[in-house]
Amino acid sequence: MRENRIESLKRFQKEEKEEGENELLESLLRERVDNLRKLGVPVDERLRIKMEAFKGILPEEVVKRHTERLREVKRNQYRRRFSLEEIKEKEKERQGEKGEIFVTLLLQKFLGDNFLVLRTSPYDDRLNKVDLFVVNKERGGIDFTIDVSVDDSFSPLLHKKQKRLFDRNTIYKGTPLTYGIRFEGGKTHPHPHIEYLPAFLLNLPPEILESGINSITSLKEKTPREKKIFNFLKEQIEKQIDSIKEKSWREKKFPHPNLRKKLEEIEELVKFELSLNSE
């Protein structure tokens, strides 16, 4: 009985701690959303690109069709009863949501005001399987996309995701983005149907994500722990670029010329600008 009470107390303390961490993360999320909306960036309360902002740019019936398709995907999910394994997967999805928000805020902090780090629209998240994208204000367009993962470092699922991203960057001409953004004339503008975008997988094992959420305190201040995590993510991008180059020659699977040009630009960005920002 005494052991059960101790376990209950530990569980209660853990839940209270997680709730406090979530509240701070949610507070920083709201602050970032407010900042972006003041700049005219069409984001919702979860920092995702709003599909409604594309009405008039895309035919209204197209946006409506995409919205209905999303509803159908969700209806199919909730129509059936979930097994224990599926319930565990749902818990991972909630962890993934926290991971996406944390990585978005972290990258924005370290990349600085010359870039915009945004979560994709619900359509691109579900159908194009991409979580974030990075807008380079100087060039005006999107530099690359990101798939955020919260998996153990030796997870078979992580290996499967890495293989999928490699194929996407070589065989399948990168990642398409249906609802994108461009920066021009000091403002952001909706930009639909962008192709040949490099895709990188950024994985934060659960314990690293937890330590990162514990360390983040503001949208501006860079803590030592955050610097370590940023460098950890930067190294993942560097390794993936090297892997694409090496495996391309070995397997004779070469990126599309448009995609290759983007990868070369990102390689320079990672070597110089990101290295400066990580100090």
Side-chain angles (χ1 to χ4, degrees), residues 114-278:
N114 290 332
F115 297 86
L116 285 173
V117 185
L118 302 167
R119 298 182 77 196
T120 56
S121 70
Y123 182 86
D124 286 306
D125 176 46
R126 293 273 183 165
L127 279 301
N128 287 327
K129 308 296 183 187
V130 60
D131 299 323
L132 319 176
F133 63 89
V134 177
V135 179
N136 186 322
K137 288 184 178 179
E138 188 178 327
R139 293 194 186 109
I142 296 172
D143 268 355
F144 57 95
T145 66
I146 295 168
D147 188 9
V148 177
S149 175
V150 183
D151 289 300
D152 293 323
S153 298
F154 300 102
S155 161
L157 181 60
L158 179 61
H159 178 73
K160 186 177 177 181
K161 289 177 182 177
Q162 289 167 336
K163 171 70 167 59
R164 176 170 58 85
L165 264 291
F166 172 74
D167 288 345
R168 186 181 283 188
N169 283 321
T170 52
I171 301 170
Y172 301 110
K173 302 178 183 178
T175 294
L177 208 58
T178 306
Y179 295 88
I181 290 288
R182 75 178 190 278
F183 189 84
E184 189 178 355
K187 295 179 181 178
T188 58
H189 306 270
H191 188 189
H193 298 308
I194 305 169
E195 295 184 324
Y196 307 116
L197 292 172
F200 297 106
L201 177 66
L202 296 184
N203 183 55
L204 280 177
E207 65 276 9
I208 294 181
L209 173 60
E210 185 179 352
S211 72
I213 292 173
N214 282 337
S215 70
I216 193 167
T217 56
S218 78
L219 296 178
K220 293 292 183 184
E221 183 187 353
K222 299 173 184 176
T223 66
R225 184 61 186 162
E226 287 174 297
K227 289 180 183 179
K228 286 182 181 178
I229 295 175
F230 175 75
N231 282 322
F232 175 66
L233 297 178
K234 181 172 74 73
E235 285 167 12
Q236 290 184 47
I237 294 177
E238 290 172 331
K239 286 176 182 175
Q240 285 171 62
I241 292 174
D242 289 342
S243 175
I244 290 167
K245 290 195 294 187
E246 179 194 335
K247 287 184 179 179
S248 292
W249 285 105
R250 190 172 68 240
E251 300 180 17
K252 305 302 179 189
K253 297 175 182 176
F254 298 102
H256 186 279
N258 292 355
L259 181 59
R260 194 182 309 172
K261 183 173 182 294
K262 279 275 188 187
L263 286 166
E264 288 168 358
E265 290 171 353
I266 294 162
E267 190 172 19
E268 291 300 305
L269 174 76
V270 172
K271 278 181 182 174
F272 297 106
E273 190 149 2
L274 296 200
S275 295
L276 286 172
N277 291 342
S278 65

